[in-house]
Structure formats: C-alpha cells, structure tokens
Amino acid sequence: MSATGGLREHLEADGILHIVFDQPDRPVNLLDGGVLKRLLGILERVRVENQVQGLLFRSAKPDNFLAGMDIDALSGIDDAYRASEGARFGQTVFQKLADLSIPTACAIQGGCMGGGAELALACDIRLAGEHPATLIGLPEVRIGIIPGFGGTQRLPRLVGFTRAVEMITAGRRLTPGQALRAGLVDEIVPPARLEARAIALLHQAADGKRRPRIGIRGKRAPGTRLLDWAATTVPPVRRRILNEARRKIARRADPTHYPAPFQALDALDASVSMPLPQGLDLEARIIGELIPGDTARNLMWLFRSQAALRKPMREQAARSREIRKAGVIGAGVMGGSIAGLIADQDLPVRLKDIRYDAILTALRTAREGWDRSIRRGRLDPGRRNDRMARIAPTLDNSGFARCDLVVEAVVESLEVKQQVLAELEPLMADHAVFASNTSSIPIGEIAAAATRPDRVVGLHFFNPVHRMPLVEVIAGPDSSPPAVATVRDFALRLGKLPVVVKDSPGFLVNRILMFYLGEAIRLLEEGVRIDAVDSAMTRFGMPLGPFALMDEIGLETVLHVARVLQAAYGKRAEGSTRALESLIVSERRGARGGGGFYRYRRGKRTLPDPEAYNLFEARQARDLPPETIQERLVLAMVNEAAVCLEDGVVERPMDLDIAMVTGTGFPPFRGGLLRYADCIGIAVTVDRLARLADGHGERFRPAGLLREMVTRQRRFYREA
Ligand code: NAI
C-alpha cells in the first residue's frame, strides 16, 4: 500500500485496485495538481500492466468522497493560458480513466462535487452510499466558473441534455434518490455494503455479465427522455431549450455580472453538436476566459473567506462550551424559527412564550418547514417526528436550569429584555450563557440587569432565520471571551456564518445599511423617482432596490433603526425621516402592512404608490443617471464601512465584506464593499467622497482611515 499525493492505492487478491482518497489533515478530500499527477501515473501503469481486473475509487472519510478542485490552487491562476492548460490536464487524466479497457467504479459516500463528480462521470459504475451527507453535483457556476474536467460534455451524455442544462447552470446538487432518478448513479447502497457491492459489480462487468451503461464511450445513455433525444438530433429543438434556459438564468443573473451559467450553455451545446475532443477543447477555453475574470476571483475569494470564518478559532474553541440543551424565550417570528433551527441539529430546546397561541404558531411553522423537506426528499417522517419532540414548549420558566445557553427573542424593548434576564438569571446554571437576539439595543444596556454580565452576549439573527446565513455575535463591554466563543461556536453548529462585532448602535450590518437607505430617502426628497433609484441599484447588482427593501423590512422597523442611529452618530447619520413617518401615518407600513413606497396586489409588488410622492411634498421630478445614483448610495456605505473599521466594530475587512454580502445581498460578484473600494481605487474613492461632501453634506467627508490609506498607498486587501 502506498499513500502520497492525497490518495493511496492497494491491489487486492481478486485483482481490484482500490484508489482511496485520503487526506486526513483536511475536512474534505480535494483535487489539485499533485493528486491529478499521481492519478495519471496510476492510470498509465494500470493500462500497460495486466494484473488489474477492475478499478474502485472510494474515500477514507465516511462523510466526504471528493469535494472537487482545491479553490486555493485555482485562485492562484491569473492568466487565461494557465487556466485552460490546467483544465486540459484534468481532462487528459479523466479521459485516460474513461479509456481504460477494464471496468471502473466509484463508491460515492458523502459530498462528491465538481472535479469529484467529473471523476465519477468518467467511470463505468457509480454507486451512492445511503448517507445524509451524500450529495453529487457540479456547482462550479457558484464560484463563477464552469466544470472544466469534462463535466459539461459527459453529464449530458449520461443524464440527458435538459437535465444536464438544469444541473450545471443552477449548480444543483442531487441527493442519492434524485441522482438515481436522473440516471447519475446506478444504485443506492447502505454504507456497510457499498464497497462490497461495487466490487461485485466490477467483477460482473469484468466477466462481461453486465455491460457498463454509460454513454461516455460514445453511446447515449438508454434511459434519457424523448426531449433529450430530440435535443441531440434536431438542432431547432436544442436551440429552443437553450434559449429557454438562457431566459431562465437571466431572470436571476445578469450575463455581464455572472457570465458562467451563460457560457456553460455554450459548452453544453457543444456536447451535442461536436465530437467529444472538440467539446472538451471549448470547455477548457471557456475556463480560461472565466478564471482570471473579476467575477470568478471575487466569488472564489468569498468562498475561501467564508470557509476561513467557519473554522473554529483555535484558542477560542478551546474555551467555548458545548451546548447539550438550549432554551429560547419568545416564540415569535424569530424565536420560533431559532427553536426550529436548534431542533434541526437534533438538540433539545425549551421554548417559552407568555402567549399560548405564539407557541402553537411556532410549532406549526416548524412542522410545515420539515414537511416541505420531506416532500423534497431531504428528510424522512421519522426524523421530523424526532425533531418535533425535541421542542419542549412552556409558558413558565421551568426547565431552563438545565440549559447551557438561552436565546432571548422577546419584543424589542429594553425594559422587557432586562426583565426577562433578571427573572431567568437566578435559575440558570453557573456556566450557562444568555444570548440576546436584539436588532438594535446595546448588549451592555441589557446586561446591566444581570448580576453576571460576563455571560450576556448578543446573537443577532437575520430574518428569515432559516434562509439568511449571517449572524452577528455581539461582544458586550463585559461579555467574557469564553461566553462569546460559546455563542459563536453554537452559531456555527446551527450552520450559520458568525461575524463577531463590537457592541455599538446598529452593530455592523444595520448600521451600514441605514446609511444606504437614508441616502435613498434623500434622493427621493430631492425629486428622484422611487423606481429610478431601485432600478439603478438592481442594475448595480443588489437583489432589491432600497425602497423595495424598506417595504420588505417594514417601515416601522426601518424608522426605529434610523432613530437609534441618528441618536448615536449625530451629524453623520442626520437626515430626514419625514418620508417614513408620513407613510406610516397614512397606514402604509410596508409590503405586509398596507403597502409602502410601492403598491401591492395579492402580496406582489406592483408600481410605486403616487401618494408616496405627495405625502411629504417631494420636489419636482428630476432625472439622474443611474451611475450617479449608484455612486451616492454605494459610497455612503463605503465611507461608513471605513468608519466601522476605524471604530473596531469588526477586526478585519474580510469580516465586514462577508457580513455585507451575506446579510444584505451586496453583490457577491463584487466581493464586498471594501473589495469594491479596492477595485475602483482608494484614491478615487476619497476624491469622489470629497466631491460628494462638498455638494451634499458632511456625511460624505472621507473617513480618516481612507485618507490615511491614500497617503500610505494602502488597499484593504493585499491580493486582488
Ligand atoms: P415577535 O413579536 O414576532 O415575537 C416576540 C414574542 O415574544 C411574542 O410571541 C411575544 O408573545 C413574546 N414575549 C413578549 N414578552 C415576553 C416575555 N416576557 N416572555 C416570553 N415571551 C415574551 O417579534 P420578533 O420579530 O420575533 O422579534 C423578536 C426579537 O428579535 C426582537 O428583539 C427583534 O428586534 C429581534 N429581531 C427581529 C428581526 C425581524 O426581522 N423580525 C430580525 C432580527 C432581530
């Protein structure tokens, strides 16, 4: 047996060569130049030697097969030639695998992504281990590229054209059941029998009893649908499918911002219209164009930074305490969802409210969420029942003494929160932590009601809890480092991305966001149309324009946060809240409260409400170019972001950028606010801010940090 280059091989007496991905120092197995070279060496040897009867790929990790290319290695490539050559090398290795005359199999258990799935596609037999971590897919478009080791050519040959288009352009990952239905795997096998079953099938294939059913040797897969057959043989049908796919992708992504899914369609087209070698060549050329581009670089940077943020901080992790039972107080919109999230992790959770109906609603909502997962094949009814049983509702304070952590999610009132804390603290175990899900009240003020403020921490979730990846972990002035570490690691366990922030009004995300929303309101008061502002910002890449966003958040909440910030940051945050107040007075409270800046029909946003202009006497309508609108709104955020760094609200630019992308939807292809400032140049940013300050007010006066960076010729990030 030998084990170098991330894999080991051993030849069994029955003639089956096992190639085992085994990278013990990494949480997942990855491909890189070294692993591919080693694989190539093995394949060349197998081809010329006669000893091997069949080849089996498997993993030493029970919950990961092969997670694809190492993104650290990809990010280092900055020219098209090297990128294409890298893809060609991987293609050559996998072609050698596909060309072997002996049967080959993959025993897939755990994640099998990107290059991992492309390896599987080059094999004759694919089995999926029946394990919750087993997922197979080509998610490359999510990091701004396309599959580059033959995936765009082999997937349609195996699962059919239409399915491959859908899987690759959406970066979809399939569960074993979905993969079986799609024809991506041949069988689903219980983990204990996976290896033996793969070996048995390899022997059958070697004896000629079982013909490999894969289309990679030039044949089409037998199970693909009529439409797929038409797509491959009738060019106008294929064009229609591609055009429809293009329209579908364009609904969620702009081709100039996110070129990868559109380019993937060209490669997929080639899988049918060209022989395999030409198709592979086109795939490699597209990779060459995409990898050095800004979008791929930013998306890969975000991917790597999020992974870095998810790592337990070593010295903190040592001090954090494992949570075996949690409590939630307040079963409203937030508390109910947080309790569901905790039960998702199979942890017991005590859920308290003072209203019985709130608890019933929370339980019903949690059950509906799990029922949806059952319908999608992601959960079985038994596990749903287990999770339901883990939520123990109560109207009193019983059962909290055994909780290691209690999340408070009652109404946003300092008085109520302090009262809840004061009541609960005497009951809590010595080691237990109290985490408040406040959106705007300083943790220090809440902790003032505690005899042990060291164990009070902020844990700010975003709404909707199950969909928003970000949480802010707020370290109050007295919060102890172990309490902060415990809350942070708990958030990680719930599958969230925790960013630790200093206790200050608006914390991080809402503070920066309010400068953006405030600037939008100023534009409106200057006479710029609501839809002109919103469309300028969606063109910039924001998922919603600021007015549509305010309607979604609810105008009363926006007004509340605006007032908190005005009180805290004085002149810089000063601005008119007249528009918000007049809308609220006229019973317009947002998308779910009688409309807001927009009108709504059956819950859907229609047109801006003309009354919104009349209510606070907006000035004469005036047109501004979208670039001017974008500059004002984005630079307002950039400047405040720099002030936040200066104030030590977060430690690193990376935390801030990830928080803004994952908490507000700041366009991922731009990498984040500070990466955007780096991209346009810090000196240019300062010049533009100074010009805006002269024309529009002190809030644009460039932050000290930015001016200093210009003097020292610094940027926020060393690498682009
Ligand atoms: P909600 O009004 O839906 O729920 C609050 C729940 O607390 C109600 O069910 C109420 O009966 C219960 N409650 C009130 N006093 C209580 C007490 N003394 N003991 C136990 N339960 C009590 O409010 P929501 O939206 O869930 O907000 C909760 C907290 O989360 C607030 O601090 C809010 O600022 C924060 N938050 C809200 C977000 C949102 O978008 N809704 C986003 C982020 C944070």
Side-chain angles (χ1 to χ4, degrees):
M1 190 192 291
S2 51
T4 49
L7 49 85
R8 58 190 155 86
E9 52 166 321
H10 56 97
L11 182 62
E12 293 287 326
D14 62 358
I16 303 296
L17 180 70
H18 292 228
I19 299 182
V20 186
F21 294 104
D22 187 8
Q23 300 172 10
D25 45 343
R26 283 174 164 160
V28 292
N29 298 319
L30 294 173
L31 288 173
D32 57 26
V35 178
L36 285 169
K37 271 196 202 118
R38 176 126 160 76
L39 189 55
L40 182 65
I42 297 174
L43 295 173
E44 277 176 345
R45 213 186 58 230
V46 167
R47 191 173 60 88
V48 293
E49 285 173 2
N50 278 334
Q51 283 167 306
V52 180
Q53 306 297 310
L55 207 60
L56 171 64
F57 288 96
R58 57 187 179 83
S59 163
K61 296 184 200 297
D63 55 359
N64 174 258
F65 178 73
L66 188 54
M69 258 319 262
D70 180 356
I71 293 186
D72 286 347
L74 282 186
S75 315
I77 303 174
D78 49 15
D79 72 88
Y81 177 76
R82 273 183 60 210
S84 292
E85 284 308 295
R88 286 199 174 95
F89 180 60
Q91 291 176 348
T92 307
V93 177
F94 289 177
Q95 192 58 48
K96 281 243 156 42
L97 172 61
D99 287 342
L100 284 181
S101 56
I102 54 164
T104 54
C106 264
I108 304 166
Q109 184 167 306
C112 175
M113 296 298 150
E118 290 172 300
L119 172 105
L121 286 169
C123 285
D124 301 317
I125 300 162
R126 284 162 298 277
L127 300 184
E130 204 173 11
H131 187 282
T134 305
L135 282 176
I136 309 171
L138 293 167
E140 282 83 350
V141 292
R142 294 174 187 226
I143 52 163
I145 60 174
I146 64 167
F149 296 164
T152 63
Q153 306 303 300
R154 290 198 176 91
L155 187 69
R157 285 172 161 84
L158 180 64
V159 303
F161 188 72
T162 47
R163 239 186 216 123
V165 164
E166 206 251 312
M167 267 184 77
I168 289 179
T169 57
R172 253 189 84 199
R173 292 166 284 203
L174 306 191
T175 59
Q178 292 166 329
L180 184 69
R181 282 193 293 281
L184 181 55
V185 298
D186 306 284
E187 288 176 24
I188 303 173
V189 187
R193 287 190 16 235
L194 183 61
E195 187 181 329
R197 179 66 185 149
I199 292 170
L201 288 175
L202 281 171
H203 283 304
Q204 281 180 22
D207 296 344
K209 288 189 196 127
R210 179 185 188 282
R211 272 166 46 106
R213 51 158 296 197
I214 293 88
I216 50 166
R217 290 166 205 245
K219 287 173 240 134
R220 304 265 171 236
T224 49
R225 294 169 293 190
L226 185 64
L227 187 59
D228 293 315
W229 172 80
T232 49
T233 48
V234 189
V237 173
R238 184 164 70 253
R239 268 198 301 279
R240 272 191 69 166
I241 294 172
L242 287 168
N243 285 339
E244 179 49 39
R246 214 163 268 129
R247 269 195 300 275
K248 202 167 150 194
I249 305 165
R251 281 202 284 271
R252 50 170 206 264
D254 179 323
T256 53
H257 296 159
Y258 296 100
F262 296 93
Q263 302 252 56
L265 289 179
D266 297 340
L268 283 156
D269 189 9
S271 75
V272 176
S273 59
M274 294 178 186
L276 185 61
Q278 275 98 314
L280 289 173
D281 182 59
L282 179 66
E283 183 186 86
R285 274 189 283 135
I286 294 176
I287 282 279
E289 281 171 38
L290 291 173
I291 285 191
D294 285 344
T295 298
R297 298 188 74 72
N298 281 329
L299 293 179
M300 285 195 255
W301 176 82
L302 275 174
F303 184 92
R304 289 161 62 213
S305 308
Q306 291 192 24
L309 215 61
R310 282 203 168 94
K311 276 198 191 123
M313 287 184 231
R314 196 155 289 152
E315 88 326 333
Q316 279 203 351
R319 285 180 284 153
S320 79
R321 186 175 264 276
E322 199 202 335
I323 308 299
R324 285 180 301 269
K325 182 176 176 191
V328 174
I329 303 197
V333 175
M334 300 302 284
S337 309
I338 295 167
L341 203 63
I342 297 172
D344 267 344
Q345 301 307 309
D346 296 328
L347 271 177
V349 51
R350 189 78 166 148
L351 174 63
K352 180 197 170 181
D353 204 289
I354 44 173
R355 286 177 21 232
Y356 188 59
D357 60 317
I359 288 181
L360 283 184
T361 308
L363 292 176
R364 197 180 52 239
T365 312
R367 192 191 163 103
E368 282 166 3
W370 289 318
D371 284 347
R372 265 196 302 279
S373 300
I374 293 175
R375 281 199 296 279
R376 289 183 191 144
R378 295 200 193 129
L379 190 73
D380 61 65
R383 292 199 65 172
R384 176 206 51 205
N385 297 346
D386 287 347
R387 288 181 186 178
M388 287 301 301
R390 294 202 185 275
I391 306 182
T394 173
L395 290 169
D396 59 30
N397 285 334
S398 60
F400 283 92
R402 301 227 315 280
C403 295
D404 305 300
L405 182 142
V406 177
V407 181
E408 168 277 304
V410 301
V411 283
E412 186 76 349
S413 141
L414 176 61
E415 207 188 329
V416 181
K417 286 185 190 294
Q418 283 190 333
Q419 192 192 328
V420 166
L421 173 56
E423 246 179 52
L424 206 73
E425 202 187 16
L427 308 174
M428 284 168 58
D430 259 1
H431 69 270
V433 177
F434 184 91
S436 174
N437 177 50
T438 171
S439 48
S440 64
I441 305 173
I443 299 306
E445 289 182 22
I446 299 173
T451 47
R452 292 253 326 266
D454 57 298
R455 54 168 165 176
V456 180
V457 178
L459 177 58
H460 180 205
F461 285 87
F462 290 75
N463 189 12
V465 171
H466 63 284
R467 258 204 282 136
M468 296 294 283
L470 182 71
V471 294
E472 291 177 325
V473 174
I474 303 127
D478 298 313
S479 311
S480 73
V484 174
T486 299
V487 171
R488 181 186 173 278
D489 287 350
F490 181 62
L492 276 177
R493 187 161 167 200
L494 298 184
K496 296 294 168 194
L497 203 58
V499 171
V500 178
V501 304
K502 196 175 88 172
D503 195 15
S504 56
F507 310 128
L508 178 72
V509 169
N510 284 348
R511 169 170 168 184
I512 297 176
L513 191 68
M514 280 316 292
F515 278 78
Y516 166 77
L517 299 179
E519 204 53 36
I521 292 178
R522 279 171 211 275
L523 282 173
L524 175 62
E525 290 177 347
E526 287 170 24
V528 185
R529 288 192 341 270
I530 291 170
D531 44 347
V533 176
D534 274 2
S535 92
M537 293 323 296
T538 49
R539 260 199 258 171
F540 179 81
M542 299 299 279
L544 277 182
F547 292 108
L549 178 63
M550 284 189 267
D551 276 0
E552 286 300 318
I553 299 173
L555 302 189
E556 281 166 319
T557 306
V558 176
L559 181 61
H560 170 75
V561 181
R563 285 186 176 144
V564 169
L565 291 185
Q566 286 181 352
Y569 301 113
K571 210 157 173 49
R572 228 159 12 88
E574 240 171 44
S576 160
T577 45
R578 207 152 44 96
L580 291 169
E581 284 154 11
S582 352
L583 283 166
I584 293 167
V585 168
S586 73
E587 297 293 317
R588 291 172 173 82
R589 295 197 166 79
R592 280 167 295 277
F597 290 102
Y598 285 88
R599 285 188 170 158
Y600 293 80
R601 191 177 309 132
R602 276 186 242 113
K604 278 213 158 33
R605 191 170 57 249
T606 58
L607 292 171
D609 189 338
E611 268 304 296
Y613 297 99
N614 302 335
L615 279 169
F616 50 91
E617 300 136 31
R619 278 186 226 155
Q620 208 58 41
R622 95 183 161 111
D623 284 330
L624 279 185
E627 296 74 27
T628 310
I629 297 173
Q630 291 164 355
E631 180 177 72
R632 271 181 67 175
L633 265 60
V634 176
L635 290 189
M637 285 197 281
V638 168
N639 207 25
E640 194 55 23
V643 179
C644 284
L645 268 184
E646 230 168 39
D647 289 355
V649 176
V650 277
E651 270 177 27
R652 300 166 296 187
M654 179 184 103
D655 302 83
L656 192 146
D657 275 345
I658 293 180
M660 291 308 287
V661 169
T662 55
T664 71
F666 186 84
F669 74 92
R670 297 192 189 274
L673 267 181
L674 302 175
R675 274 180 80 85
Y676 174 73
D678 268 357
C679 173
I680 56 173
I682 303 301
V684 174
T685 304
V686 167
D687 276 353
R688 291 190 189 168
L689 279 168
R691 198 166 29 79
L692 286 170
D694 294 341
H696 299 284
E698 279 309 294
R699 65 190 180 280
F700 282 111
R701 195 60 64 203
L705 175 70
L706 289 171
R707 291 199 306 267
E708 195 188 311
M709 287 172 74
V710 175
T711 319
R712 296 195 184 178
Q713 296 193 316
R714 289 271 165 84
R715 3 179 329 126
F716 286 108
Y717 297 95
R718 228 173 306 144
E719 46 158 342

